[in-house]
Amino acid sequence: RGSGEISTGIVHVGAMQAVLALSRTEADDEESVVALQRVRTLAEAPGNAEILLSAGALDWCRAFLFPRFDCSPEVPPSAGPSPAAEACVRGLAGFLLLHGMYREPKLLRLKEMGGFGALKLKDHEAFHQTLVTEVCAYLERNPLLPAGPAASVILKLLAQLLEPLTEAPPQPDPGLYLAVVRAINRVANHNADPVRAAMKEARLLDVRDGLLVHCLRAPRTREWAFAVMQGLSFEWVADRAAFRESNGLLHLLHMLHSFPAERDLQIGIGCVLRNVFGPSPENRRAVASALDDADVSVHL
């Protein structure tokens, strides 16, 4: 409109897709960001998120952030949106996904997320990780879930979003895993027993434990090891059989022996083994059994 006002209702949803597509190649970065901010404003207006989800807006965001033709020789590696424009679209994708999870789960088009259920991450891994990052950031700020059946629906969708991370090869940076573990623990800490029971039913605690083990068994560098030990709290898994059965303690012992010159790291791991895992008889037996195993001793 000439006055600068934005109509709050989406009449031609295809126009929103066109704005995203054009903004990706707009030479004027400021114009692109303004246009994308207006799309976000429209998305937040009542009823519009549902329209956008139904029309496939999450896939528009994926195409904006990770277009299939990015590796084409016709498109220079430098072509694409600015970091500011990408941030706008990442935020829009996160908003739409969260709106679907919290309010309109039937409108979530699972193929667009590329990592749900039996779907593979082949063409959508980067977008899937973007969505995970956005959701975890939201849960860090807003860990309290709505009461009643809605919480169970949200938690089941959250588990579907996160489970593929445990099945994919470990990432070279533990940041994503640490963010997921912290977000799950934060939700557990800030909600009552019925929500924690729903988390268990949705297997979110198993996802958390699996990602924690992923952190421990991933390719190890000094930086990785310090990030894991500083970023994780092991109290949540100290008494969980699943952590022992997935060789979590063995991976922790391996990390202890992998950096003999890092005194601070060795002290930190030793304190965790003694003070967090040590009080449990099952954990002590697991460690003793591992150290008595000739194959394990060779690896250590």
Side-chain angles (χ1 to χ4, degrees):
R1 295 183 179 182
S3 64
E5 286 186 30
I6 302 174
S7 174
T8 57
I10 295 177
V11 178
H12 301 292
V13 68
M16 300 295 99
Q17 183 178 10
V19 170
L20 262 70
L22 291 172
S23 296
R24 190 176 194 281
T25 56
E26 171 61 52
D28 189 329
D29 177 50
E30 185 175 348
E31 287 292 331
S32 294
V33 171
V34 169
L36 293 169
Q37 288 173 340
R38 288 180 176 175
V39 171
R40 174 63 182 269
T41 300
L42 281 170
E44 294 177 351
N48 285 346
E50 290 84 347
I51 294 173
L52 291 170
L53 283 170
S54 298
L58 279 170
D59 201 43
W60 307 345
C61 295
R62 182 205 57 76
F64 183 100
L65 295 167
F66 309 103
R68 292 180 183 274
F69 55 78
D70 264 358
C71 296
S72 170
E74 288 81 14
V75 179
S78 59
S82 68
E86 286 187 341
C88 289
V89 177
R90 284 196 302 270
L92 174 63
F95 168 77
L96 291 171
L97 174 59
L98 286 160
H99 185 90
M101 291 173 62
Y102 278 71
R103 299 186 183 181
E104 298 290 344
K106 293 181 180 179
L107 292 180
L108 288 178
R109 297 160 59 111
L110 302 188
K111 286 185 179 180
E112 294 167 5
M113 292 165 220
F116 275 48
L119 295 173
K120 303 301 181 183
L121 301 180
K122 181 179 178 182
D123 296 323
H124 303 278
E125 185 174 4
F127 185 52
H128 174 254
Q129 292 175 8
T130 295
L131 294 174
V132 170
T133 300
E134 292 294 323
V135 169
C136 288
Y138 177 83
L139 291 174
E140 281 284 339
R141 300 189 305 269
N142 306 280
L144 192 63
L145 296 185
S152 295
V153 173
I154 294 167
L155 292 169
K156 287 177 182 176
L157 287 169
L158 181 60
Q160 289 179 47
L161 179 69
L162 300 177
E163 278 172 354
L165 294 176
T166 65
E167 301 163 5
Q171 295 294 311
D173 185 332
L176 183 64
Y177 302 141
L178 298 177
V180 172
V181 170
R182 284 195 297 265
I184 293 175
N185 285 343
R186 191 160 172 79
V187 171
N189 281 333
H190 284 77
N191 288 274
D193 288 342
V195 169
R196 286 192 282 270
M199 293 178 72
K200 186 175 181 180
E201 183 180 351
R203 297 181 59 83
L204 269 174
L205 301 184
D206 292 336
V207 170
R208 178 200 62 194
D209 297 352
L211 290 179
L212 202 156
V213 172
H214 236 25
C215 281
L216 295 177
R217 71 183 179 197
R220 295 180 184 87
T221 64
R222 174 185 178 278
E223 291 73 23
W224 176 288
F226 272 104
V228 169
M229 294 309 299
Q230 292 171 354
L232 291 177
S233 174
F234 291 91
E235 283 80 0
W236 279 94
V237 296
D239 295 319
R240 287 181 61 79
F243 183 79
R244 290 191 297 273
E245 292 165 1
S246 58
N247 295 320
L249 285 168
L250 184 58
H251 292 306
L252 200 56
L253 284 169
H254 193 180
M255 185 184 290
L256 176 69
H257 285 262
S258 296
F259 301 95
E262 299 294 342
R263 184 172 181 274
D264 290 344
L265 181 62
Q266 294 240 316
I267 291 173
I269 297 173
C271 288
V272 167
L273 286 169
R274 183 187 64 186
N275 300 331
V276 178
F277 291 101
S280 165
E282 291 84 358
N283 289 335
R284 292 198 298 272
R285 282 194 291 270
V287 171
S289 176
L291 294 177
D292 284 340
D293 186 290
D295 291 334
V296 170
S297 297
V298 169
H299 285 295
L300 289 177

